[in-house]
Amino acid sequence: MIFKAEVHIMPRKTVLDTQGKAVEKTLIHLGYTSLKEANVGKIVKIRLDAESADSAKKSVESMCQDLLVNELTETFDIIIEASCK
Amino acid sequence: MKTSIVVFPGSSCDRDIERAISETLNTQVDMVWHEETTFSNDPDLVILPGGYSFGGYLRSGAMAACSNIIEAIKTHAAKGKMILGIANGFQILTEAQLLPGALIPNTSLTFICQKAYLRVEQTENMFTSDYKIGDVVQFPIAHHEGLYFLPPSELKELEDAGQVVFRYADPVTGESGAEYALEGSLNGIAGICNKKGNILGLMPHPERATFKHLNGGVDGIAFWKSIAKAFGERGGF
Amino acid sequence: MDFHKVGLSDSEYKTILEILGREPNALELELIGVMWSEHCSYKSTRPLLKTYPQKGKHVVQGQGENAGVVDLGEGWGLAFKVESHNHPSAIAPFHGAATGIGGIVRDIIAMGARPAVSMDGLFFGDSNLQKTHTLAKEVVKGIGFYGNAVGVPVLGGKTFYSPAYNGNPLVNAFGAGFVRLNKIASSQTAKPGEFAVLVGSKTGRDGIAGASFASRELDENDNASNPNIQIGDPFEEKLLIECCLDILDKDLMTSMQDMGAAGILSSSSEIAQKSGCGIDIQVLQIPLRDKGMEPWEIFLSESQERMLLIVKEENLDDVFKITKHYDLDCKTIGTLTDNRRYKVFKGDELIANLPIDILGDTPVKFWPSEVPADLSERQAIDLSTLKTTSPAEDILKLIACANGNSKHRIWEQYDSMVQLHTIMGPGSPVAAVEVPETKRACLLTMEAEPWKCFTDPYLGASETMALSLRGLWLSGADALGMTNCLNFASPEKSERFYELKESIKGLADTCRELDCPVVSGNVSLYNETVSAPIYPTPLVVTAGLIINRDEILKAGMTRSGDKIYLVGENDGSLGATRYQKMKNGKPLGKTVEPDYENEKLFRERAIKTAREKTANSGRVLAGGGLAVALANEAISSGVGMNISIKPQTTVESLLFSEGGARAIYSVPNNKIKEFENTWNGFSFDCIGTATGDSLSWDNLFTIPISDISKAFLEGE
């Protein structure tokens, strides 16, 4: 079965998120004074073949550890859904 | 002495380093493609060059750290032989966990190409033994992801273990620290080694300070000579 | 299908019917329409460009190839060219500028050269507008993103701000590479029976009809939405560089062409036509990125990072092996024929069948030319409005202004040292790079003088060219050749065409008189928005050679105690100078008339001065005149100067006039006699001494060099 996965990668709270800070500053400059915080991360979209949603998630987790994420500086979330195609 | 320079797709300083060490070291140089699984010439020194391996996409050095040759590099490291990573090469070494820490985007969010002054902080390794602690050298920097990061407790361990080899410094006073790091590196760290002292990674480019007729200065010459001396004193491996 | 939609005029369409003897089908009409567009055909400028001097003893390859090549000696050549990416950069500053670098790099590869140098001519709008800074920031980021990743150092450039570029910024990318003279590749050496091989990225819908897009004026709402902009991938480009050079080095290809405007169509038709062949192309063989692309889209796509190689059958396997090594897509898409026809097949079906010459021998267009009605107004200058009440204040303003201050914030974002051959990089008036494996150095100057071209296109262009030469001569180099980017407004307007025609004439005359052939170039027209045209902006890059790199005379090397000399006349013209513009708010007045005999006297002496090392430092007079040259020399050397020289006309003219063969030198005391002997027969004057930490001028002013330095580094 084909699954769609999205890996949401964000800088760790302990790491200076320079892009987030820059976005934050600019938005406030534009008048969005209610803004409390902005963080910039990245999304990796993956389509993969797996037996079940669980095994798809396991497989994507392993991808994160092997390549997609540097756990020293980043955290990640995985969202899995069955692909209609 | 035998040297292997690993070439990744997107490496751009491989030929520069080849020229710099051919000029300054009595060494035979092999260029090794990243898809190789072994070093055929049993090198004493392996160099990972600067550039944009795999386009610098995802994270600098992340994909290169998954290349075939990395296993051979780890074997080489385990034998206690020398590994030098410059700029992208340093990033690859951290991604491959041969050195601690990570290199993340400069606080300016821009690429920075400038001359940089470094204080030699440590000489108990296989690369800087010909220097004195406190020497200030100029190697140019050219990077977009050069901010050295390590969580606080590990950073303390690194400092306590004396693994910081180069720190950004003021050229006049020789004082080093975070305030002299243009990209915002923690503790002003420009280069570190592993505990054994056989692996060195640094963001600045010593090869760009090797030819007197070029515009990068000549402080790199002493760096290469120091490697040769360390190697000679050990009488090889 | 309506031929107007592909940009053809009634008379052009009539010509097409005559050539074909039938109506073209829709695909054929698209192909012809693009190849006949201004961007691909240069129909408005071809007759003018023919007036350039093209031959010279150093020219190995002149106009007509992907780039020109000049002889650097010891078996090496320099392939170089400058190209515009104005329209894409106006619409999408980051990607437009980035792909501009990609394009020029491929032009250099196509000559068989390893790309070794890049420089950028950037013309932005009003420096007081936030919009300008936002755009400039993106352009600079785009150039850095691409150039840094492909590993080609930026050695310098030109950045100019003026409201004339508010709606239409200019991004001119210069590229140069070193090539072994016996390894030069060509797009004219394909033979029937050989295969056309496409290497690099898959073809997608990006940049479709970019060529015709660049052949018209920008709509005011063009930046709202344009799906056509190309996206660059410097990683793919870097692999393409290594791959093509590898294939070339192993003698596995016979011809090569990069894919720029009108992608597969222009590259394949040019290579076939210039080689005297025909070509059959199989459209189903072309690897696609987007689904459902029509043949015309495939042929016109401007997807980046693609090259067309011509390969003999027996070499195909080896070529495929090398492309696989670099992980690049590679596909045989066609065959060269001897029938001089451009045929496109879709499977067995022949879907286009044109005589090859209809795509290559495009018509020329003659536009009426008329002296601009306001030209005399532009040339009128009222000297009484140019009085200085405080020279010190004016000098600091000229140094701090957007066109005078340091551009380090830009060039520090570019890798200027990769490839380990930069002798003089950004920040120097002249760029210098070592010639591989030799003691030689190749020097480069990039110049543009939009204000002077606006008030007098002929004189302005002439002064631009002469300025680029003087910089080389002063450094000690012989000029080898020039490349130019002609940025102008619509040629369809007679006053704009006049400016174009006169500028080209100014460049051509100066190049001819001063022995500098034109080896390559690019024309970008229709640079205007409904509100205004840009200034006439011819940009030149001139290449020079020094046999012994230790003989380069640099700027910023003045030592305390040196005598300061002014060579050349005390006065140039105040017309269209940085000072005049500052005082009047707009450029007015003509620059100097060319004096070629004087330039030649200057050339001979300047080169001798460098070679005999009779000066420590030198600098030609440019923007801001004598005062700004001295100020810049003082801060870059870190030493003050005591200057004493009386005006022959006015103080303003002495301090700030520009134009003509003039320079300052710093001469050590033990070389004074030799220096003066060298300059015998030319106007020269010892005007002061390097000393202290201020720039002082008789009783006119004293400015601490720390103040000048602050103005220079921090700007307004």
Side-chain angles (χ1 to χ4, degrees):
Chain A
M1 199 178 167
I2 302 290
F3 289 88
K4 284 200 295 192
E6 273 188 20
V7 185
H8 292 226
I9 304 167
M10 295 303 292
R12 271 189 193 280
K13 287 284 170 200
T14 50
V15 178
L16 180 64
D17 174 12
T18 41
Q19 288 194 67
K21 280 272 169 296
V23 168
E24 209 173 285
K25 257 172 69 182
T26 308
L27 285 172
I28 290 171
H29 176 74
L30 287 173
Y32 296 95
T33 46
S34 58
L35 182 133
K36 294 285 172 238
E37 194 183 352
N39 289 103
V40 177
K42 53 196 160 199
I43 295 180
V44 181
K45 289 189 179 187
I46 289 166
R47 290 177 71 239
L48 77 165
D49 205 346
E51 296 277 309
S52 64
D54 258 8
S55 74
K57 190 165 183 186
K58 280 218 170 68
S59 180
V60 174
E61 263 169 13
S62 161
M63 291 177 197
C64 287
Q65 277 147 14
D66 283 350
L67 175 69
L68 298 179
V69 178
N70 183 338
E71 295 200 62
L72 194 64
T73 56
E74 295 167 328
T75 57
F76 65 96
D77 286 307
I78 298 170
I79 301 164
I80 299 273
E81 58 181 274
S83 172
C84 22
K85 269 188 254 168
Chain B
M1 180 167 164
K2 287 178 290 186
T3 306
S4 288
I5 298 173
V6 182
V7 183
F8 298 93
S11 291
S12 49
C13 304
D14 45 334
R15 288 148 39 97
D16 297 1
I17 292 170
E18 181 190 12
R19 185 174 163 205
I21 61 171
S22 300
E23 177 84 8
T24 52
L25 297 178
N26 180 20
T27 183
Q28 168 203 327
V29 186
D30 257 22
M31 307 301 274
V32 180
W33 187 237
H34 74 115
E35 283 179 335
E36 300 293 329
T37 49
T38 55
F39 292 107
S40 55
N41 73 337
D42 188 28
D44 304 299
L45 169 65
V46 169
I47 303 181
L48 309 190
Y52 279 67
S53 59
F54 295 88
Y57 298 144
L58 191 64
R59 292 181 315 276
S60 297
M63 279 173 294
C66 300
S67 285
N68 289 349
I69 197 69
I70 294 297
E71 277 313 308
I73 292 174
K74 286 183 174 166
T75 309
H76 178 85
K79 289 183 196 158
K81 295 186 178 188
M82 290 186 281
I83 298 174
L84 172 63
I86 300 171
N88 189 224
F90 184 18
Q91 294 162 338
I92 296 167
L93 288 175
T94 59
E95 283 286 348
Q97 298 185 0
L98 281 159
L99 286 174
L103 283 311
I104 62 173
N106 304 344
T107 43
S108 63
L109 292 175
T110 58
F111 187 92
I112 304 175
C113 177
Q114 274 192 52
K115 288 189 172 178
Y117 296 87
L118 316 171
R119 183 177 188 270
V120 178
E121 303 276 322
Q122 201 259 53
T123 55
E124 304 280 300
N125 63 72
M126 292 167 69
F127 302 88
T128 56
S129 58
D130 205 25
Y131 287 98
K132 289 191 301 295
I133 289 178
D135 283 353
V136 174
V137 298
Q138 186 283 125
F139 300 163
I141 54 167
H143 55 238
H144 192 278
E145 274 98 38
L147 190 163
Y148 184 78
F149 173 84
L150 200 57
S153 61
E154 294 170 55
L155 185 63
K156 187 170 182 305
E157 268 176 50
L158 183 86
E159 291 281 5
D160 291 347
Q163 285 174 250
V164 177
V165 180
F166 291 112
R167 214 186 294 272
Y168 295 106
D170 183 304
V172 182
T173 63
E175 193 180 313
S176 66
E179 57 271 48
Y180 308 109
L182 295 168
E183 74 287 273
S185 277
L186 297 189
N187 294 5
I189 290 172
I192 59 166
C193 64
N194 61 340
K195 287 204 171 89
K196 272 199 314 204
N198 65 321
I199 305 177
L200 174 74
L202 75 168
M203 287 313 294
H205 290 268
E207 80 276 14
R208 296 186 181 187
T210 304
F211 294 91
K212 75 170 192 314
H213 68 282
L214 301 180
N215 69 342
V218 291
D219 286 2
I221 298 171
F223 176 75
W224 304 117
K225 296 250 150 98
S226 174
I227 293 177
K229 197 173 165 209
F231 179 76
E233 276 167 7
R234 298 171 76 94
F237 292 100
Chain C
M1 185 177 180
D2 183 0
F3 58 84
H4 289 122
K5 278 197 183 141
V6 299
L8 293 166
S9 69
D10 291 343
S11 71
E12 285 172 338
Y13 190 66
K14 208 169 136 242
T15 311
I16 291 164
L17 293 182
E18 277 165 21
I19 297 170
L20 293 182
R22 63 173 170 88
E23 300 254 342
N25 66 32
L27 172 61
E28 291 169 338
L29 192 60
E30 287 278 3
L31 303 184
I32 298 169
V34 168
M35 291 308 289
W36 286 31
S37 72
E38 184 65 55
H39 192 63
C40 288
S41 73
Y42 285 31
K43 57 187 164 190
S44 300
T45 51
R46 253 166 37 225
L48 299 174
L49 297 176
K50 285 207 177 111
T51 64
Y52 278 149
Q54 321 213 4
K55 294 204 169 71
K57 59 180 175 183
H58 302 287
V59 177
V60 178
Q61 175 63 59
Q63 295 179 59
E65 267 289 357
N66 289 294
V69 181
V70 290
D71 192 342
L72 297 168
E74 299 185 49
W76 286 99
L78 182 79
F80 66 110
K81 186 187 185 181
V82 61
E83 203 165 65
S84 65
H85 228 222
N86 303 336
H87 290 76
S89 305
I91 305 302
F94 179 90
H95 291 293
T99 51
I101 305 299
I104 196 70
V105 164
R106 286 191 299 281
D107 274 320
I108 302 307
I109 308 173
M111 299 310 297
R114 175 172 282 277
V117 174
S118 88
M119 292 168 90
D120 307 286
L122 308 177
F123 300 81
F124 298 127
D126 188 345
S127 64
N128 295 312
L129 298 177
Q130 185 52 42
K131 189 181 152 211
T132 300
H133 292 286
T134 309
L135 181 122
K137 207 171 149 187
E138 288 296 301
V139 165
V140 170
K141 265 197 171 169
I143 292 170
F145 159 76
Y146 207 102
N148 295 340
V150 293
V152 178
V154 172
L155 290 204
K158 169 102 195 163
T159 310
F160 187 83
Y161 296 88
S162 162
Y165 305 98
N166 272 351
N168 199 131
L170 305 179
V171 174
N172 291 180
F174 167 83
F178 295 109
V179 58
R180 281 271 175 211
L181 290 176
N182 59 2
K183 285 280 185 185
I184 294 178
S186 166
S187 60
Q188 314 185 2
T189 44
K191 290 186 189 64
E194 295 175 342
F195 290 91
V197 175
L198 175 58
V199 183
S201 295
K202 289 187 170 59
T203 299
R205 282 203 173 85
D206 32 0
I208 284 178
S212 54
F213 172 54
S215 302
R216 61 180 173 82
E217 296 154 36
L218 289 174
D219 294 340
E220 288 287 284
N221 56 1
D222 264 344
N223 39 1
S225 71
N226 198 300
N228 291 339
I229 200 76
Q230 312 98 303
I231 307 290
D233 178 356
F235 178 47
E236 184 92 357
E237 180 102 338
K238 170 70 174 158
L239 297 174
L240 208 49
I241 296 175
E242 301 301 334
C243 178
C244 290
L245 292 179
D246 202 352
I247 292 171
L248 195 72
D249 194 47
K250 296 185 168 106
D251 289 322
L252 296 172
M253 67 165 95
T254 52
S255 197
M256 169 160 55
Q257 173 80 37
D258 74 300
M259 292 197 188
I264 293 176
L265 168 65
S266 72
S267 59
S268 60
S269 64
E270 272 176 40
I271 221 166
Q273 204 239 353
K274 287 185 193 167
S275 303
C277 302
I279 190 165
D280 291 352
I281 299 206
Q282 180 50 261
V283 68
L284 296 178
Q285 286 294 310
I286 298 168
L288 301 180
R289 200 179 64 226
D290 293 343
K291 283 192 187 130
M293 285 180 76
E294 295 293 328
W296 72 270
E297 293 180 299
I298 296 170
F299 275 78
L300 269 46
S301 159
E302 293 184 4
S303 289
Q304 300 291 295
E305 292 92 26
R306 298 177 300 165
M307 296 288 286
L308 190 70
L309 311 185
I310 305 300
V311 180
K312 285 192 170 70
E313 188 170 10
E314 65 261 35
N315 293 329
L316 281 174
D317 282 350
D318 288 332
V319 166
F320 282 112
K321 253 183 226 152
I322 294 174
T323 54
K324 190 164 183 294
H325 173 80
Y326 290 101
D327 217 2
L328 288 168
D329 272 339
C330 179
K331 199 85 184 178
T332 302
I333 63 162
T335 319
L336 276 299
T337 64
D338 59 5
N339 61 22
R340 300 191 58 78
R341 295 200 72 83
Y342 192 84
K343 292 187 189 175
V344 179
F345 293 87
K346 188 177 180 184
D348 293 335
E349 190 191 347
L350 179 62
I351 56 172
N353 182 356
L354 295 168
I356 192 87
D357 290 336
I358 204 173
L359 299 173
D361 287 343
T362 49
V364 294
K365 194 105 197 178
F366 295 95
W367 299 103
S369 163
E370 201 177 352
V371 178
D374 66 338
L375 192 66
S376 53
E377 200 179 299
R378 296 182 206 171
Q379 295 179 343
I381 183 166
D382 178 359
L383 291 172
S384 70
T385 61
L386 298 179
K387 289 275 176 257
T388 177
T389 49
S390 167
E393 210 172 285
D394 283 334
I395 290 170
L396 288 173
K397 272 193 207 156
L398 290 172
I399 298 263
C401 75
N403 290 323
N405 64 25
S406 169
K407 300 297 175 295
H408 66 282
R409 282 185 199 83
I410 292 178
W411 50 256
E412 280 170 2
Q413 295 185 50
Y414 306 144
D415 193 335
S416 54
M417 302 169 88
V418 64
Q419 294 197 22
L420 214 51
H421 57 203
T422 306
I423 298 172
M424 293 194 284
S428 310
V430 179
V433 59
E434 63 174 19
V435 178
E437 301 161 20
T438 69
K439 296 273 182 220
R440 292 166 183 250
C442 172
L443 278 70
L444 297 159
T445 48
M446 176 183 274
E447 299 294 350
E449 293 282 341
W451 292 332
K452 295 183 175 73
C453 293
F454 175 68
T455 60
D456 190 312
Y458 180 87
L459 294 183
S462 174
E463 173 61 20
T464 305
M465 186 59 220
L467 189 58
S468 79
L469 287 166
R470 289 175 210 138
L472 294 179
W473 299 334
L474 179 126
S475 308
D478 288 306
L480 303 177
M482 174 273 248
T483 181
N484 63 130
C485 194
L486 301 169
N487 306 278
F488 287 84
S490 166
E492 299 173 29
K493 293 171 186 156
S494 55
E495 298 187 343
R496 301 291 86 77
F497 190 72
Y498 170 89
E499 294 167 345
L500 171 63
K501 196 182 69 155
E502 288 299 305
S503 294
I504 293 177
K505 191 160 179 285
L507 292 177
D509 287 352
T510 310
C511 285
R512 192 175 304 107
E513 292 292 335
L514 300 176
D515 316 304
C516 185
V518 181
V519 299
S520 59
N522 168 261
V523 182
S524 171
L525 304 179
Y526 300 95
N527 288 293
E528 56 190 286
T529 56
V530 263
S531 36
I534 62 161
Y535 288 143
T537 313
L539 172 137
V540 305
V541 182
T542 307
L545 175 72
I546 287 185
I547 309 284
N548 179 357
R549 64 190 176 214
D550 295 332
E551 288 172 1
I552 299 173
L553 179 65
K554 299 176 181 175
M557 308 294 278
T558 300
R559 290 177 211 152
S560 188
D562 286 354
K563 288 281 173 285
I564 310 297
Y565 279 80
L566 168 66
V567 303
E569 300 300 322
N570 281 10
D571 299 288
S573 163
L574 279 169
T577 58
R578 198 187 290 171
Y579 178 76
Q580 176 278 321
K581 162 70 175 50
M582 179 177 81
K583 289 285 174 190
N584 297 143
K586 58 181 175 184
L588 292 170
K590 297 203 272 188
T591 188
V592 295
E593 296 280 340
D595 181 347
Y596 302 122
E597 287 318 306
N598 197 53
E599 299 281 355
K600 287 180 197 166
L601 295 175
F602 176 84
R603 171 172 68 190
E604 187 193 324
R605 287 163 179 77
I607 292 175
K608 191 160 184 266
T609 303
R611 301 220 170 135
E612 294 178 352
K613 298 180 189 276
T614 51
N616 283 337
S617 193
R619 190 178 283 265
V620 298
L621 301 198
L626 177 61
V628 167
L630 289 168
N632 280 331
E633 182 61 23
I635 52 174
S636 56
S637 303
V639 60
M641 294 173 183
N642 280 343
I643 302 297
S644 175
I645 171 176
K646 296 277 169 284
Q648 287 170 350
T649 56
T650 62
V651 169
E652 293 79 13
S653 174
L654 175 64
L655 293 176
F656 303 121
S657 68
E658 299 173 15
R662 305 190 294 146
I664 52 167
Y665 280 103
S666 306
V667 182
N669 285 303
N670 62 351
K671 300 277 186 187
I672 286 173
K673 213 169 158 202
E674 270 178 277
F675 179 84
E676 293 194 351
N677 278 341
T678 301
W679 285 91
N680 190 16
F682 197 82
S683 170
F684 72 87
D685 193 2
C686 179
I687 62 169
T689 310
T691 180
D693 48 17
S694 293
L695 177 63
S696 305
W697 194 309
D698 289 334
N699 52 1
L700 271 180
F701 59 82
T702 295
I703 319 171
I705 56 172
S706 55
D707 287 5
I708 305 173
S709 198
K710 187 164 176 281
F712 183 62
L713 293 174
E714 290 175 14
E716 290 164 303

